[in-house]
Each structure stands twice: as structure tokens, then as C-alpha cells.
Amino acid sequence: MTLLCRIVPATFAFGFLTFNLALSAQNFSRQIPSGGTGYFTSTGTGSVNGNPEIDPALAAVPDHDSGNDTTGHVPFTRLINRPLHQTIRAGNVHASALSSQAKPMPTPSLNFDGLDFYQQRYADNGNQFSVEPPDQGLCAGNGYVLETVNDVLRVFKSDGTPLTGPVSLNDFYGYIPAVNRAAGVYGPSITDPSCYFDPSVQRWFHLVLTLDRVGTTSTLSGTNHLDLAVSRTANPLGLWTIYRIPVQDDGTQGTPNHNCAGGPCLGDYPKVGTDANGVYLTSNEFAFFGPGFIGAQIYAISKFALITSAPSITVFEYNTADPSTNSASGLPGFSVWPALSAGPFPSEFGGTEYFLSSLAVFQDSAVDDRLQLWSLTNTFNLWFNQPPTLVNSIVNTEPYAVPGFARQPGSFTDGVGQAPGGGNVNWPLGQCLNIKSCAALIGYSNPYTEVIAPLAANDSRIQQIYYSNGKLWTSLGTGLAFDDGSVSMGLAYFILHPRAGGGTPTATVDLQGYLGDPNLDMTYGSVAATQNGRGIISFTATGPSNYPSVAFTTLDDKTGTGAVQITAPGVGANDGFTGYFIGGFDPRWGDYGAAVPDGNSIWFAQEYIGQTCTLTQYLASTPLGTCGATRAALGNWDTRIARVTP
């Protein structure tokens, strides 16, 4: 039985809040010209195989200075989607078991497969790398659903009918393909897509991080930019205007100089949010070629300038590590996620955009009981090319902890795992790598000693925020410890009420709690809520007896969560290259899901495993390892899209 925990503010002597700060943060402004147009083209799929299957510039390298992680493996340094610490520092918080709410659970009115590893790998006539995780960036509105993942996107009608084939992100943004193996030519490396349809202006916004190469070689140059595409109409199949915002912050291309070790900085893990006046981007800034985290960056842009395809836009940048920020926690922001809105937008303080970040990642204990609320006030200034004001405060909450690895059938065992219902788990890539002659078929000359890998459950960073019914709705991953001594990876959720006391935005906790089950890990939760205060949390559910599956539960601001419903049961184990030594043993999953309101309904999409095949079937496939076009040689993730009316 699923166990749910709910804590109301009265549970805490100091459960509500917060303090403000006296100074506002400095900003850096610059002009960004429009950088061309994007549109959907039909480049088709292809069967181009051969090395390199993994982008050589993004391959993990051993981080021997950090010791071993909790699995006993040597950790690897990751160029993109970086955590603050390479080693896994997991914690747990006590989960007091409460019964689920006795209320009817809605059934999704639509439920269909989205993009998968095969479509990603063989898009753009096969000129793609093998990529995981997908990084779900679903958006929906005006009768359309746009799904975007690493490194493809696709448009559906609202009844699930595909309107395009899988389109590579390189093609959409007007770049040459990610790789042309025959010619030895490389295009820019694109990652971390996100998307939003703004019903107030009937426009689509799409955001990625783009890493430039040295010419057309595989070597990265260090320059990198946030590419923001804005549709010119309410139809996503029409033209989009693209703005390319340099984020290397080394003083080149109009950027400020943040003195990153080794030269350029990296604008990692970008996210997009909006209010009535502006569009807001965030990123985690690390040194590109050296060690060190700088702090989250926040960018504010006039929405009017974007939706009118202005020939140039003013971008205001705020560095949360700058002393002028006067951080309420004394720490820079990390994964500062901007709020999206189900409407109406917050109007206090001359228009306000809210952001949230978590703090457990900074603690040696991997546990914290605070969230940091960041607020850009006076956003009406953007109409006049003037900067909003960044302020922040602390919200005291229930404790939460950086989660460890999530389970799947056969993980945490030495070798072959037991499948649910009997028999052995199919994991043909891992099995192939353990056989020298088989490994050579997919480009690896040495035999390995692989086992079925667990799944990453993220690092307790905030995962998506919606401003709805005057409140902020969000969740994050946490390790949970139960009364019987068992541990699982679960979710902490929060519904916060922003307040205007003292002249600076603060917030109180209206509702908070945990979602967890000793026998089921719940990862990468995404919260969305409609205008009437009805919401959901969608997530991947996985465990010793459950292959990675798509699940959700209802959430409202009065009674909390309902029972967990599995929307798309997984049918096989995750068998991707990052879970094996060829990917640096960094078993990726996520790095985020997506949920979005559309009228009284909510769309959601998550990663799961919708296929399985044996090693014999894997080897008999053409192209090798595709198992009837259900996977590719180096991975087998799928995504599932659903619509529900909570």
C-alpha cells in the first residue's frame, strides 16, 4: 500500500517563515539581436550506425579526487547537468505513515507513447548521438501538444495524433546535424530542453543550452548560449524567432566576467518561466573547463519584445552569488526554478515573478528544512527596458534529504536479476558488454563486468513550479526512512502562499508532505495545478518489483494527495549506457519530467521503459540492438504522455 504523509504548518513551531533582506541585487544588461528562425522540417529517420555513438566531448572522465560513491564505483565528472558534488551524498528523513486520502482518483482521458530512444537516435537521417536521459519538456495549448526531449521534439494534436515526425533540436534551431560520421563533421551540442505555451499571449517558448564546437571538430570551444525560440503565432508548426544569449560569462560576446576557473563558464540546466510582463530564464553556472560552482543565474526579458519578434531584446542578468544579492541563506542559488502560471499572474509589487531553490545539496548531512524564495519585483519595468528588482527570503519547511539511487528489478545484485512474475530480467546491452566478441560489435573492444544498474533519483533540487490559485505549487526528491527501518526514494511536496509583508515577498506554508512507499521509489516529480486549485504530481515509479513506470497522484491545497495511480506500467529494465562503465557509470534517469495545465485538465509526461527484448533478439536486429525499432543499441528509454482532469 502506498503511504502518504502530510504535514500542515501547525506541526512546526517555526513552520511558517521567513525573513526578508534590505538590499536588492545588481544586474548586468545587454542587447541580444534575433538570431534567425526555427521551424519544423521533415528530415526523416536513418540507420547510420558506427562510432562515435556517444558525443566524445560530453563523455564522462574519472574524478579520482572524489573517492568512491555509495556504490563503490569511482565517480565521473559530468560536463552538463552537473550536481554540486560528484560523489553521492545521500540522506533520509523520517516518514510518518499516514493513510492516503479517501477520495476518487480520476482516470486519464488520453494516454499515449511519446518520443523514445530509437526515434531520438535515428532522427535527422540518423545523424544523432545516443543520448540519455531524455529530460522531458512537455508543453500544451491551443489544441496542440509539443513534446521536447534530448535531442528531438515532436508536435501532436490534442487527441494524440502526431503532426510531425521526430525533429532534431539541431535542425529546429538551424544548426548542422549533431554528427556526420561519414564526413567526420560535428554540429553544436544541444541539451536540457524545456517548453511553455503561454495562453495569455498565445505563444510558445522553447529553451535549450547550446555548446559550440571548435569549427566542425568534436572539441568544445567553451562558448555556450541559451537558445530561446518564440513562436510567431499560436500554431507551433509555423515560424519561430530565435534569440541566442551567450552565457559563458568570461567577458566575451558582451557577457560579464565571473572569473571561472579555466576561462569560460557554463550555463547549465536552463529553465523558463513567465509572468504578465516578462519571460525569465535560469541556469546553474559552473566553470566550463575547470572546477567550481559560481551560482545560479537569472535572466529577465520583456515578454512584449519577444512575442513581437523584436530585432533585438534587452536581457537583464542577475548572479545569485554576487554579494549584492545578500542571499537570505548566505548561499548562492542552485537550480533556481522560475514559476509558470495557470493564470492570473501575480500583480503585487508592480508585478512579481517567483522562483524557488532548495538547500540540502549544500549540507554535509544532505538534509535541510528550508527553501529559498527568490522574487523579481517591479516586472512592469520590463515594458520600458528597465530592470526588475531581485530579492529573496527563507521559507522554513518540513525536512527533506538528497536521495540516493532508485531501485529497479535486478539492481543492487551481483549479476542477473529476478524479473517480476518470475524468470530473469532482460538487459541485453549490459549482457553484450560482458562478452568480448559481443562488445566489439557495438564498438567496445574490452569485456566488462556489468550488473543491472539502479537509477539516479536527482539531488533534491526543485522540480517545476506553478503559480495557481494565488499559491506556489512544487516538489522535490527526498530520501525517506520508514518506521520498519526500510528506506525508499520519495517526493516532498509544498504549496506555499506568497505574502507581501514588510515590503518584500515572503511566503507561508499552506500544505506540505511526503509521498512515498517502502517498496516503490518515486522520482522526478512534476507538479502542475489549474486555476481552481486542483493539481497533480506526476513521476516515475520504480522498485524491486516494478520496472520504471509512469505514475501520478492528485494534489489540492485543502486535502493534499490521493492514491498513486500507475498510468503506464514499465515492461522491462532500464538498459542504458550511462548505467554501465562505457558511460562512466553515472546511471542517468530524468533529469526532470513535466506537467502543464490546459484549461481544467493537466497534461503530464515522464520517462519509463515500454519495451523489453532478449540478447538474442538484440543481436538479430537490423540495425544492431534496435529490437524491432523499439530501442537503439545503447539505450531503451521511452516517454509517455497523458491528460487527466483532477
Side-chain angles (χ1 to χ4, degrees), residues 43 58 63 99 106 111 127 129 157 159 163 231 249 260 300 374 434-435 440-441 448 518 545 548 550 603 629:
T43 51
L58 303 185
D63 181 17
S99 299
N111 186 356
N127 293 307
F129 291 110
K157 290 175 63 176
D159 63 2
L163 294 175
S231 71
D249 286 357
C260 283
W374 305 82
N434 286 337
I435 304 168
L441 295 176
Y448 296 81
S545 300
V550 177
W603 292 92

Side-chain angles (χ1 to χ4, degrees), residues 168-182:
S168 76
L169 293 179
N170 280 62
D171 187 56
F172 176 76
Y173 277 96
Y175 298 117
I176 64 174
V179 61
N180 183 321
R181 293 177 182 83

Side-chain angles (χ1 to χ4, degrees), residues 49 53 117 122 130 426-435 437-444 575-577 580 582 611-636:
N49 279 331
E53 277 294 325
F117 196 107
Y122 292 107
S130 290
N426 290 327
W427 53 301
L429 171 59
Q431 291 171 300
C432 182
L433 291 169
N434 286 337
I435 304 168
S437 59
C438 188
L441 295 176
I442 53 177
Y444 296 92
D575 184 40
F577 69 91
Y580 304 122
I582 62 171
Q611 71 85 233
T612 186
C613 64
T614 66
L615 178 59
T616 299
Q617 293 168 324
Y618 178 94
L619 292 174
S621 304
T622 303
L624 178 68
T626 52
C627 294
T630 64
R631 61 168 294 158
L634 296 192
N636 68 330

Side-chain angles (χ1 to χ4, degrees), residues 203-391:
R203 292 293 185 273
W204 303 79
F205 299 90
H206 190 280
L207 177 69
V208 295
L209 168 64
T210 300
L211 313 178
D212 293 327
R213 309 275 187 181
V214 176
T216 57
T217 70
S218 65
T219 303
L220 296 176
S221 68
T223 58
N224 58 113
H225 34 102
L226 302 185
D227 286 355
L228 177 64
V230 185
S231 71
R232 295 186 179 180
T233 71
N235 185 344
L237 298 176
L239 285 178
W240 299 57
T241 300
I242 297 172
Y243 298 92
R244 310 186 198 277
I245 305 168
V247 292
Q248 62 266 21
D249 286 357
D250 59 357
T252 65
Q253 297 182 340
T255 63
N257 192 344
H258 290 170
N259 299 302
C260 283
C265 304
L266 171 70
D268 197 27
Y269 204 72
K271 296 293 168 283
V272 60
T274 65
D275 76 347
N277 306 307
V279 172
Y280 309 95
L281 315 179
T282 62
S283 67
N284 284 333
E285 187 165 276
F286 291 88
F288 199 111
F289 293 125
F293 172 65
I294 305 303
Q297 306 299 303
I298 298 174
Y299 304 87
I301 308 166
S302 163
K303 184 187 287 188
F304 179 77
L306 290 172
I307 67 174
T308 56
S309 298
S312 68
I313 57 173
T314 303
V315 176
F316 298 100
E317 179 178 353
Y318 304 79
N319 179 8
T320 64
D322 190 280
S324 69
T325 301
N326 195 20
S327 166
S329 66
L331 297 164
F334 176 72
S335 297
V336 175
W337 201 301
L340 297 168
S341 179
F345 295 110
S347 58
E348 58 269 23
F349 299 104
T352 299
E353 171 67 7
Y354 293 107
F355 310 73
L356 286 169
S357 62
S358 59
L359 293 167
V361 291
F362 291 101
Q363 309 306 325
D364 290 337
S365 65
V367 178
D368 211 306
D369 56 3
R370 300 167 297 162
L371 297 178
Q372 190 136 309
L373 175 70
W374 305 82
S375 307
L376 274 176
T377 62
N378 301 308
T379 62
F380 190 74
N381 285 354
L382 292 170
W383 287 85
F384 308 100
N385 277 340
Q386 296 298 312
T389 301
L390 179 66
V391 293

Side-chain angles (χ1 to χ4, degrees), residues 76-124:
F76 284 70
T77 298
R78 189 191 300 169
L79 177 62
I80 54 176
N81 293 304
R82 290 192 204 175
L84 277 183
H85 307 280
Q86 296 301 327
T87 52
I88 300 294
R89 299 191 307 166
N92 298 301
V93 295
H94 183 255
S96 300
L98 296 178
S99 299
S100 59
Q101 294 292 319
K103 56 184 179 181
M105 282 289 293
T107 299
S109 58
L110 200 62
N111 186 356
F112 60 95
D113 272 330
L115 292 161
D116 60 36
F117 196 107
Y118 177 86
Q119 294 169 328
Q120 180 275 314
R121 169 60 183 83
Y122 292 107
D124 211 350

